[in-house]
């Protein structure tokens, strides 16, 4: 039991792992009540080794959504650097493994940090579209994703979200209180398979995989 907990964030203190689980439990209650949340494919997530979650980006709720179903692999994720302007919020972001990124002026240090955490056998969540979708569909992936895959060689887990765009589109300041949201974790993809392709081909392959998962998810939550 204790060993299993420590594997969720290798090298981190147990208190930090338990704090994540407390936040996770609160979010589970919230999403089960408000959004009738469902998730699929949790067994596809490796329990050890570097894992890169790549997900479509529909709303500000997305990191929470991905985290609810992947509690056995607590991940790092990038967040707007301005969130650290408030001291208390900044401390909370640190305890939840957020990596600050300046979206207007991104620099190499953010990329370096992402590669570093993967090489330490952690999990990392990335939204390769770079920004929340304007249509609900999965938009083209940014090329920086392939650099991370090349340098860290993680196992890639494609993730699809559906319903979050309706719950909180980027045009709204606040989310809806009720709705239907679901998340699915696709089959693992080895880095070597992608690195055998040309970078643009690999990016299209990943985007298509995530979008196909999203379309399947849309059908399942409507039935």
């Amino acid at each position: 039991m204790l060993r299993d907990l420590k594997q969720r964030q290798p090298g981190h203190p147990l208190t930090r792992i338990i704090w994540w689980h407390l936040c996770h439990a609160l979010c589970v209650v919230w999403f089960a009540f408000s959004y009738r949340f469902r998730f699929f494919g949790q067994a596809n997530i490796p329990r050890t080794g570097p894992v890169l979650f790549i997900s479509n980006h529909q709303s500000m709720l997305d990191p929470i959504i991905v985290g609810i179903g992947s509690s056995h692999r607590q991940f790092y994720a990038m967040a707007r650097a301005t969130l650290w302007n408030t001291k208390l919020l900044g401390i909370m972001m640190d305890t939840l493994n957020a990596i600050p990124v300046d979206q207007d002026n991104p620099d190499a240090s953010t990329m370096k940090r992402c590669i570093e955490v993967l090489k330490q056998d952690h999990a990392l969540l990335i939204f390769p579209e770079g920004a929340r979708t304007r249509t609900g569909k999965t938009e083209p992936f940014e090329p920086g994703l392939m650099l991370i895959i090349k340098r860290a060689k993680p196992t890639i887990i494609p993730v699809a979200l559906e319903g979050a765009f309706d719950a909180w589109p980027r045009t709204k300041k606040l989310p809806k209180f009720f709705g239907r949201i679901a998340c699915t974790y696709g089959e693992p993809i080895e880095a070597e398979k992608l690195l055998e392709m040309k970078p643009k081909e690999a990016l299209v392959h990943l985007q298509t995989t995530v979008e196909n998962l999203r379309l399947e998810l849309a059908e399942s939550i409507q039935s």
Side-chain angles (χ1 to χ4, degrees), residues 53-59 61-63 65-66 125-133 136-139 141 157-165 182-184 206-207 209-215 217:
F53 295 103
I54 57 165
S55 174
N56 61 320
H57 200 4
Q58 294 195 334
S59 78
L61 298 170
D62 296 351
I65 297 169
V66 179
L125 167 64
I126 287 182
F127 299 106
E129 294 163 275
R132 285 166 289 165
T133 177
K137 298 179 181 179
T138 308
E139 297 179 1
F141 286 179
I157 300 295
V159 182
L161 314 175
E162 182 61 13
F165 180 74
C183 172
T184 188
L206 290 172
Q207 179 195 349
T209 299
V210 170
E211 177 63 4
N212 287 341
L213 288 171
R214 185 194 69 81
L215 292 172
L217 202 56

Side-chain angles (χ1 to χ4, degrees), residues 51-134:
V51 171
L52 178 61
F53 295 103
I54 57 165
S55 174
N56 61 320
H57 200 4
Q58 294 195 334
S59 78
M60 295 287 284
L61 298 170
D62 296 351
I64 299 174
I65 297 169
V66 179
I68 289 176
S70 64
S71 61
H72 61 289
R73 285 309 304 268
Q74 300 171 1
F75 52 73
Y76 281 78
M78 287 184 280
R80 294 197 317 270
T82 53
L83 294 173
W84 276 259
N85 292 343
T86 302
K87 186 174 181 180
L88 184 60
L89 182 57
I91 292 172
M92 185 172 183
M93 298 298 288
D94 286 336
T95 63
L96 293 174
N97 303 333
I99 299 172
V101 57
D102 186 338
Q103 291 180 312
D104 296 323
N105 299 290
D107 57 34
S109 63
T110 302
M111 187 74 69
K112 183 178 179 182
R113 180 61 177 147
C114 290
I115 295 168
E116 182 181 76
V117 299
L118 286 169
K119 286 188 173 181
Q120 293 171 347
D121 282 347
H122 288 290
L124 173 70
L125 167 64
I126 287 182
F127 299 106
E129 294 163 275
R132 285 166 289 165
T133 177
R134 296 181 181 276

